[in-house]
Amino acid sequence: MAIDSSRRRFTLTLFVFSCVFAGRQVEAAVSETRGVTRILGMRLEKSDSPAETTERGVIQVTEGSNISFRFYGLHLFPNSSALIRFTELYSSDKEDDVHGAIMVSSNRTCPEHTRDIVVNGLMDVGNHNTSGVVSLKIKQLRKSEAVKVFGLCIRDTQDEEEKWYLLDDKDGRLRVVEEKKSLLPVWLQVILISFLLVLSGMFSGLNLGLMALDPMELRIVQSCGTEKEKKYARKIEPIRRKGNYLLCSLLLGNVLVNTTLTILLDDLTNSGIGAVVASTIGIVIFGEIVPQALCSRHGLAVGANTIMVTKLFMLLTFPLSWPISKILDCVLGQEIGTVYNREKLVEMLKVTEPYNDLVKEELNMIQGALELRTKTVEDVMTPINNCFMIHSDAVLDFNTMSEIMESGYTRIPVYEDERSNIVDILFVKDLAFVDPDDCTTLKTITKFYNHPVHFVFHDTKLDSMLEEFKKGKSHLAIVQKVNNEGEGDPFYEVVGLVTLEDVIEEIIKSEILDESDLYTDNRTRKKVAPNKNKRDFSAFKHESESKVKISPQLLLAAHRFLATEVSLFSPSQISDKVLLRILRHPDVIQEIKFNDSDKRSTHHYVYQRGKPVDYFVLILQGRVEVEAGNENMKFETGPFSYYGVMALSAPTLEFRSPSHLSGLNRTASLSGADRTESLSVSGSNSQLNNSIPSQQYTPDFYVRGLTDLQFVKITRSQYQNGLMASRLDSTPQSPESGHNTARMDQTTPPATANTTITDLGADSTPTENGPDETTLLLLNEQNSPHTTNHHSQLENSI
């Protein structure tokens, strides 16, 4: 029993102790849950108006907004919102308070609470009673206030007086700013922005379109444009004359419109970056690109149709734009407009060629006329080496006149000694009364007409040259320049020829070709296509006419010289009339043209040492150099020097002398074979060359031409023919010779040659007390057609 009682007391004691302990734990827990409420900070949760945290960490909200703050602390309860109030720290009419961070001296107490911030309802406390959300109402600021800063006030519950204290200097601040209000309603702003974009485009386009139309161009359009263009130009021209005033008005209007547009966009978007981007895109696309692209092509029409708007803005901007324009006029001078010089005008025509209505020929003529003053005669002249010229000593025979006619030129320079020494001008019409058979010298014609020779300098401009040609003095000019190269005094050097045709071709930018031109261009020397209708004057030339023509006086002098100075041609060997026929043979008178560029050419040699020849040479005109002997001695000789006499005196055929025929007459005594031999000897040169064995003479000297040469060249075969003809001519004739000769003509046709020689000898007896036969033949042979035919027959026989 005692043991059970003690057990019960122990159990009761343990239970009581447990209850006391549990009660103390519960009391501690209750006292813990009912501890002092403390608010440590706050954070902006949300706002129905723009709100943010400034750079200084101050919460900023907009006036008239409803916001929610989250407060942090200890032992927060729903009724903890009663412990929260705000007090006004300071206010300002400008937002220059360093984002709400201005230091305010205070004793950290809240003397009074503001009514501009109202705490609405209870605190929405979290699970751990450490944070809660409280709704606040921010009232509107006064009109004079742009910003107001409030401080968070917390009531101390442990204080018997329950005073209010500022939570912290910065963490508990709330900055309230005024609400951003639009200047105009949104719909009105959209309309204004669209209208301003149109104005911006108009000002930008007119600035390009109107200012690009200079006064000079407007005058041109008023004179030669279409009716619509003339109407537009008359509207624009009065205000375009005031160039600087118009420019200032358009630029001021454009700047004003663009600035206003940016302000409206900024107010509409409430974003500076957005306003800049939007205004840039709108102005570039609708205010610059589109209107300028339109006005650059249709500036005249756009400017004329918007002329009233332009005048209105010129009037509105008058106070500012007019003084600026006057200053520009004084500084820059009056606007003249675009004036094109010759080079720019030519280049403009070239650039606009695909777009204008000018044909190529018209464009070339305009360009050629504009470039005429920039070019000189040296650019279009024919170089002196390519000019067709005639020596003053030339004889106007058939060959010379044929060469003149075939050249196709109407004015031909005449030179002496060298081609650069031009002394006269020959007009082709001067040859109208000249007979080629007269062999008139060129000097006779040029001295008779005495055409003036017109010299110009190589740097003469083509427009000046054209004016000279228009005066009618001459249509051909000799181009010369002053040559001061090397030692000695300067001298005039002829470099080429220029004609009126050259100048006209340069104007029309095309070549003028006629039926006689050989080249399309004298500078490029490009030949024209062959002319099938080209005239051949050789049809008028006698077959036996000499290839090289000399005057009758020179031919008579050569005849007299050979007959008197060269024994082989003395009258005892060859009669005068036969010698004359030899000299008139087509191949006897020859010439050599001297080539200055190749003075040692083999073409210049008349004789060469060691080279066999069979001809005799008499120099008529020009000079030669003779090199002879083992010492190669050289000397020069001139006209009427002769060489190669031994080439004619070599062994020849043995002809039967008439004295060996036993008193018989020539025609009757010769057998048929002898007659045939005689007739073949008196035939053509080719027959004689085939019948005579080759006997050649080898000279031991050189004879080389130093200038152009004309000389007599008589071959051995021609000389032998002359001997034969002279002997036949001296043979006595019987009365029956005429009958026998006629019978011989019927049986043997080649005998005609012998008969002709005999007849000529019988009919050509010189008269007493008068000129000899040779002189009469030379003076009268051109006047008698019968004589001409007679000579032809004799030449064929020789």
Side-chain angles (χ1 to χ4, degrees):
M1 288 296 291
I3 297 171
D4 292 336
S5 175
S6 60
R7 286 182 179 175
R8 289 176 183 171
R9 289 192 200 107
F10 176 75
T11 303
L12 183 59
T13 304
L14 182 61
F15 176 75
V16 172
F17 178 78
S18 299
C19 290
V20 172
F21 180 78
R24 289 180 179 178
Q25 290 293 330
V26 171
E27 183 181 0
V30 171
S31 63
E32 182 68 24
T33 56
R34 292 182 179 180
V36 178
T37 299
R38 298 182 62 186
I39 295 176
L40 303 177
M42 65 180 180
R43 175 174 64 85
L44 178 64
E45 188 72 11
K46 64 179 181 178
S47 174
D48 59 357
S49 297
E52 61 181 354
T53 301
T54 65
E55 296 177 358
R56 297 299 184 93
V58 178
I59 299 173
Q60 176 178 296
V61 296
T62 305
E63 62 176 347
S65 61
N66 295 315
I67 61 177
S68 297
F69 271 85
R70 180 175 293 276
F71 291 91
Y72 297 93
L74 299 174
H75 308 296
L76 300 179
F77 299 98
N79 59 356
S80 297
S81 59
L83 304 177
I84 299 172
R85 293 290 183 273
F86 287 89
T87 183
E88 180 180 345
L89 297 180
Y90 63 88
S91 63
S92 175
D93 58 351
K94 297 180 181 179
E95 293 186 14
D96 55 356
D97 59 338
V98 196
H99 303 287
I102 296 178
M103 299 300 296
V104 178
S105 58
S106 64
N107 53 6
R108 297 187 58 82
T109 59
C110 295
E112 59 181 8
H113 301 157
T114 181
R115 295 181 180 181
D116 293 335
I117 300 177
V118 179
V119 179
N120 296 326
L122 299 177
M123 180 182 292
D124 185 9
V125 182
N127 294 332
H128 300 288
N129 298 330
T130 56
S131 66
V133 177
V134 176
S135 298
L136 302 177
K137 173 63 177 177
I138 309 298
K139 295 183 178 181
Q140 297 289 336
L141 299 178
R142 297 175 180 84
K143 292 183 178 180
S144 61
E145 295 175 343
V147 63
K148 184 180 288 188
V149 177
F150 300 91
L152 177 61
C153 293
I154 304 298
R155 187 176 69 181
D156 188 0
T157 57
Q158 295 180 355
D159 192 353
E160 295 179 356
E161 298 180 0
E162 295 184 355
K163 294 182 179 180
W164 293 82
Y165 298 95
L166 287 171
L167 176 62
D168 191 43
D169 188 19
K170 292 183 180 180
D171 294 339
R173 289 193 177 191
L174 178 62
R175 187 170 184 254
V176 180
V177 295
E178 61 181 349
E179 184 181 4
K180 300 294 183 181
K181 296 181 180 179
S182 298
L183 300 175
L184 297 172
V186 176
W187 62 271
L188 185 57
Q189 287 187 357
V190 173
I191 295 175
L192 285 177
I193 289 173
S194 301
F195 179 69
L196 291 176
L197 281 175
V198 173
L199 286 179
S200 176
M202 186 189 71
F203 284 128
S204 178
L206 291 177
N207 185 27
L208 176 65
L210 292 180
M211 299 310 296
L213 300 172
D214 57 70
M216 197 69 66
E217 184 176 355
L218 288 175
R219 294 178 188 174
I220 296 173
V221 173
Q222 289 183 62
S223 301
C224 59
T226 62
E227 291 299 326
K228 188 175 290 186
E229 290 176 344
K230 291 179 180 179
K231 178 181 176 182
Y232 292 158
R234 283 193 293 268
K235 287 183 178 181
I236 296 174
E237 202 266 338
I239 66 169
R240 184 59 187 85
R241 284 201 303 263
K242 306 172 183 178
N244 289 327
Y245 182 25
L246 175 63
L247 177 64
C248 293
S249 300
L250 293 176
L251 291 180
L252 284 174
N254 195 18
V255 171
L256 179 62
V257 168
N258 292 341
T259 305
T260 306
L261 178 64
T262 305
I263 293 173
L264 290 177
L265 285 173
D266 179 64
D267 184 67
L268 182 64
T269 60
N270 292 324
S271 173
I273 297 177
V276 170
V277 173
S279 62
T280 301
I281 295 175
I283 292 173
V284 168
I285 296 177
F286 301 104
E288 297 291 341
I289 295 177
V290 174
Q292 290 195 16
L294 178 65
C295 291
S296 64
R297 291 167 176 79
H298 309 285
L300 193 65
V302 174
N305 292 324
T306 58
I307 194 68
M308 297 306 298
V309 180
T310 305
K311 290 182 178 179
L312 176 62
F313 272 91
M314 291 177 68
L315 180 61
L316 294 177
T317 59
F318 177 81
L320 186 59
S321 59
W322 189 81
I324 297 176
S325 66
K326 287 302 178 182
I327 295 174
L328 292 176
D329 289 339
C330 295
V331 175
L332 302 178
Q334 188 68 25
E335 183 181 7
I336 300 176
T338 304
V339 179
Y340 294 102
N341 57 18
R342 184 174 291 101
E343 291 77 12
K344 291 181 180 179
L345 191 57
V346 171
E347 192 62 28
M348 185 185 69
L349 290 174
K350 292 180 181 178
V351 172
T352 58
E353 180 180 0
Y355 313 104
N356 55 39
D357 58 349
L358 295 175
V359 297
K360 185 175 180 60
E361 288 74 14
E362 293 175 336
L363 188 61
N364 289 340
M365 290 182 186
I366 296 173
Q367 293 180 5
L370 292 175
E371 293 175 353
L372 200 63
R373 183 172 293 183
T374 63
K375 294 185 177 181
T376 61
V377 294
E378 191 174 17
D379 299 327
V380 300
M381 71 176 185
T382 302
I384 191 68
N385 295 330
N386 299 331
C387 296
F388 178 78
M389 306 170 69
I390 301 180
H391 197 280
S392 60
D393 295 334
V395 177
L396 295 176
D397 54 15
F398 185 86
N399 291 333
T400 304
M401 296 184 69
S402 298
E403 185 180 3
I404 292 173
M405 297 300 295
E406 290 174 358
S407 68
Y409 300 110
T410 58
R411 294 169 176 83
I412 301 171
V414 178
Y415 68 94
E416 283 185 358
D417 299 333
E418 55 184 11
R419 292 174 60 87
S420 60
N421 183 24
I422 298 176
V423 294
D424 281 305
I425 299 294
L426 173 67
F427 288 9
V428 172
K429 64 182 180 181
D430 299 342
L431 305 178
F433 299 107
V434 177
D435 188 352
D437 295 334
D438 293 340
C439 295
T440 307
T441 58
L442 181 60
K443 283 185 178 180
T444 304
I445 302 301
T446 56
K447 288 182 179 179
F448 177 79
Y449 288 100
N450 195 24
H451 296 297
V453 182
H454 189 194
F455 288 91
V456 296
F457 287 102
H458 67 102
D459 56 353
T460 303
K461 300 296 182 182
L462 289 186
D463 59 336
S464 301
M465 193 72 256
L466 180 61
E467 292 299 323
E468 290 294 325
F469 285 149
K470 286 166 58 179
K471 294 178 180 178
K473 295 180 180 179
S474 175
H475 288 177
L476 181 144
I478 314 300
V479 182
Q480 62 182 5
K481 68 176 182 180
V482 178
N483 189 335
N484 52 9
E485 297 178 359
E487 299 179 356
D489 297 333
F491 61 94
Y492 292 121
E493 178 185 7
V494 175
V495 294
L497 303 179
V498 63
T499 64
L500 178 61
E501 181 179 342
D502 295 330
V503 180
I504 295 176
E505 287 177 348
E506 198 63 27
I507 293 176
I508 66 176
K509 291 285 186 178
S510 179
E511 295 297 325
I512 301 175
L513 300 179
D514 56 31
E515 63 278 0
S516 61
D517 279 345
L518 300 178
Y519 301 95
T520 59
D521 187 1
N522 291 334
R523 286 167 287 178
T524 60
R525 306 295 290 175
K526 182 180 178 181
K527 291 189 175 182
V528 300
N531 186 5
K532 296 180 180 179
N533 298 324
K534 185 177 180 181
R535 305 299 190 266
D536 185 9
F537 298 100
S538 61
F540 299 99
K541 185 176 182 180
H542 198 278
E543 293 181 357
S544 62
E545 190 173 356
S546 177
K547 298 178 182 179
V548 180
K549 280 290 184 178
I550 60 175
S551 64
Q553 294 83 357
L554 184 59
L555 183 62
L556 179 60
H559 181 275
R560 292 303 185 201
F561 182 84
L562 291 175
T564 57
E565 299 296 332
V566 183
S567 60
L568 291 179
F569 296 97
S570 62
S572 61
Q573 298 287 333
I574 296 181
S575 65
D576 289 342
K577 66 174 184 296
V578 173
L579 179 58
L580 179 61
R581 298 295 175 259
I582 293 176
L583 294 177
R584 291 186 56 82
H585 192 274
D587 295 328
V588 170
I589 306 298
Q590 296 188 11
E591 66 178 358
I592 293 178
K593 296 295 184 181
F594 187 75
N595 186 5
D596 290 328
S597 60
D598 188 8
K599 297 182 179 181
R600 291 287 179 178
S601 174
T602 55
H603 172 71
H604 297 161
Y605 284 90
V606 181
Y607 289 99
Q608 297 187 45
R609 179 183 296 172
K611 186 175 181 179
V613 296
D614 63 345
Y615 54 83
F616 163 86
V617 168
L618 169 65
I619 305 298
L620 297 179
Q621 294 191 75
R623 299 193 62 80
V624 296
E625 179 186 73
V626 181
E627 181 179 341
N630 295 330
E631 296 81 5
N632 295 327
M633 296 182 60
K634 297 181 181 179
F635 57 91
E636 293 185 10
T637 59
F640 294 96
S641 58
Y642 58 93
Y643 312 91
V645 175
M646 297 181 63
L648 303 181
S649 61
T652 60
L653 290 175
E654 292 183 1
F655 296 99
R656 297 180 185 178
S657 174
S659 60
H660 297 164
L661 297 181
S662 304
L664 298 176
N665 69 62
R666 174 69 178 167
T667 307
S669 64
L670 289 177
S671 63
D674 294 334
R675 235 186 281 116
T676 303
E677 180 183 356
S678 301
L679 294 175
S680 67
V681 170
S682 61
S684 66
N685 291 340
S686 60
Q687 295 172 348
L688 181 62
N689 290 337
N690 292 333
S691 63
I692 299 178
S694 175
Q695 298 291 337
Q696 293 181 329
Y697 162 69
T698 302
D700 59 349
F701 56 88
Y702 291 97
V703 177
R704 181 174 63 89
L706 299 178
T707 61
D708 293 345
L709 295 179
Q710 284 186 343
F711 55 91
V712 174
K713 181 179 180 181
I714 301 176
T715 63
R716 182 184 304 153
S717 61
Q718 293 169 342
Y719 180 73
Q720 297 295 339
N721 280 340
L723 289 177
M724 184 64 182
S726 297
R727 292 178 183 179
L728 291 177
D729 192 23
S730 62
T731 303
Q733 299 294 323
S734 66
E736 299 178 354
S737 62
H739 175 71
N740 293 335
T741 302
R743 184 175 59 187
M744 188 181 300
D745 291 341
Q746 297 175 359
T747 57
T748 309
T752 305
N754 285 341
T755 305
T756 304
I757 296 174
T758 306
D759 293 342
L760 183 61
D763 297 339
S764 302
T765 305
T767 59
E768 234 180 85
N769 300 326
D772 62 1
E773 177 189 12
T774 303
T775 305
L776 290 174
L777 284 173
L778 287 172
L779 294 176
N780 300 325
E781 61 182 355
Q782 302 299 336
N783 300 326
S784 174
H786 171 72
T787 307
T788 302
N789 295 332
H790 209 58
H791 295 168
S792 176
Q793 295 175 4
L794 183 59
E795 288 168 0
N796 290 334
S797 68
I798 295 177

